[in-house]
Every structure is written in structure tokens, then in C-alpha cells.
Amino acid sequence: MVEVFLFMASFSGRGQGKLILMGEHAVVYGKHAVGTHLSRGLSLRLRALKRAPGRLDPLRSLDSKAREAYRSAAREAGVDPDRYGLTIASRLPVGQGLGSSAAFSVAASRALLAAAGRGAPDAEVLRLAGVMERVFHGTPSGMDAVMALGRGPVIFRKGAPPERLVPGRPLALVVILSGTSPSTRTMVEKVRRGCDRDRSTYGSLIDAAGDLVLQGLEAIRRGSLAELGRAMNENHAVLRALGVSTPALDRLVEKARTAGALGAKLTGGGGGGAVIALASARAHAGEIRKKLNMGKNSFMTIMRV
Ligand code: PMV
């Protein structure tokens, strides 16, 4: 069968990768979290199709979850998902805690709002991206999508407008990929079950994480790297106690500290994914990377002032 696509209007959107510096999981329970966007991200293009019979599925590049999420957002935006072919270009590893689903959700929301002939202010993008993120993750805090907007370091608290964070000095971070793909939804549910089972222990751990984030925030504002490193180390210990770390992540955290990091912890949902390590400056981050000797499985990112 001959397939004829006649390309007409096209609409594009972009979403950035993200890095949670501190506060993952506790943020689901109303605590503060802090993170930023990555310079790598995902670009998406929708092309209006004039189709002939026997056409291929225009969403064939998406897996079933992504397709369901995209269709829900399209309906919400008043766009017929079958009218558009979709292409994606991404430099984000999938399932490594670097926010590939949020980047996709934000990019698709921006493109869909454009296709609907509407403006795409951040609040509207976040509302639509939230529809998609709920398909991916169940009950996400919404933090990943805020970072995927690409507006720099933010302080996030569920239900409150995100606040801009201005670090006292740039933060040089090494991101280390564990290579295993966790499911955020599974990890969030694991913590939820823990809370149901033992409210007092889990409640104390979540409170402790919340306090550490506030200490970390103060340290970031003052540019006190030693203090921030200590808060990150303690945040990792709390995440471990919450049951979201793994022996492989603990080993990477240890390895990063041995390589000279001022602090190291898992980032994101845990159960696999990535670890972040704080360096004193860009050159120091380079030295840590060299000692880790993990090639493309580690990279540097700078959280700017
Ligand atoms: O797994 P990630 O990188 O998408 O991180 C999710 C962060 C959590 O706090 C665990 C969940 C959430 O919705 O905030």
C-alpha cells in the first residue's frame, strides 16, 4: 500500500533534562526540593498530515505509555492526535532519573499548545505536562516538569509556585549513570507503603530530608560548598533508610566520595538511575570524572548563578 503524507503546518516544542539536587521523595509529602535543568534535552516536532488510506500510525515512534500520555494531553488541548505525525530528537538517556519523561511532556505540551493556536505560558505548559506526567508516574509532585521548562535552579514545594534559586557561586556537579532503569512510580509506591506500615519512622525520615534540604538551600545561597556536600551526604543516608537506594548506587556514591567529591547522593526516584557528586569547581569536577573512569557514563554540569 502506498503511503502519502503531505506535510503542512508544523509545531515544535522543547523540554530540558533535569537534576534533583536534594529533596526527592520528601517533596511528594510537601517538603521542599531543589533542582535545576540540564543543558541536554528533548526536541519534538508535530507535522500536520494529509493522509491517504493505509497510512502508518503517526505515533509509531512512541511506546504505549508515551502514546497514552500524549493522546491525553492532545485531547485536553483540543488537538486531534491523529492529525499529526510526531518526531523526537533527544540527548537524554531514558530511565536514568534525568527527566526524559518530563522533558517529553513539556516538549509535547508546548507543541500541542502551538498546534491549538494558543500561547504557551509556563503555567499552561505545566498544567498540560501534568496530565502526561500522571500517566507516566501516577501521582508525581510536578517537580520534574518545572525543571524541564529550563528556567534554571528552582526551589519546589508541592502546591506552591516554584521559586527561583540564586546560588552564591556556581555549583560544579558530576552526574554518574548507574545504567539500570528504575521506575519512579514503583519507588514512590514503595515509600508510600513504608509510610502506611510505619508512619512514625517514615515520617521522621521525611522530616529529616526536609530539614536537610533547608540546610542545603542556605549553603547554596551562601556558596558554602562543604556545608552543601555534608547535607547531600546526609540526604543520601535518609534516602537509603527510605529504601530507595541500591547497593550499586551506594557503591557509586562511595566511589565518588573517594574520588574527592565534597558530597554525593542518588538523584531522582532511586532504585537505579543516577548519582550526583559535588565538586569544588569545574576543574575539580574534571578530576573526579577522570578518577571515576566511567567514560560516557559520567558527565559534568554546572548549576549557574
Ligand atoms: O525518578 P525521577 O527522576 O523522575 O524523580 C522523581 C522525584 C520523586 O520525588 C521521587 C517523585 C516526584 O514526583 O517528585
Side-chain angles (χ1 to χ4, degrees), residues 69-81:
Y70 171 74
R71 283 185 170 281
S72 308
R75 272 195 301 276
E76 184 78 19
V79 171
D80 175 0

Side-chain angles (χ1 to χ4, degrees), residues 55 57-59 62 65-77 79-82 112 131-132:
R55 70 199 173 93
D57 177 359
L59 303 182
L62 304 182
K65 263 272 174 296
R67 183 182 297 236
E68 184 191 338
Y70 171 74
R71 283 185 170 281
S72 308
R75 272 195 301 276
E76 184 78 19
V79 171
D80 175 0
D82 296 320
L112 284 167
V131 170
M132 298 180 67

Side-chain angles (χ1 to χ4, degrees), residues 118-188:
R118 290 165 39 191
D122 286 353
E124 192 53 19
V125 174
L126 288 177
R127 199 185 61 77
L128 210 52
V131 170
M132 298 180 67
E133 284 285 273
R134 280 190 287 281
V135 176
F136 287 118
H137 299 309
T139 52
S141 64
M143 179 178 191
D144 284 9
V146 167
M147 292 181 286
L149 291 172
R151 306 285 184 222
V154 286
I155 306 166
F156 182 87
R157 196 168 196 188
K158 213 165 151 177
E163 218 182 297
R164 247 202 97 102
L165 170 65
V166 183
R169 59 196 281 186
L171 301 180
L173 296 160
V174 178
V175 182
I176 310 158
L177 306 179
S178 74
T180 51
S181 295
S183 149
T184 300
R185 183 193 276 259
T186 310
M187 301 318 288
V188 169

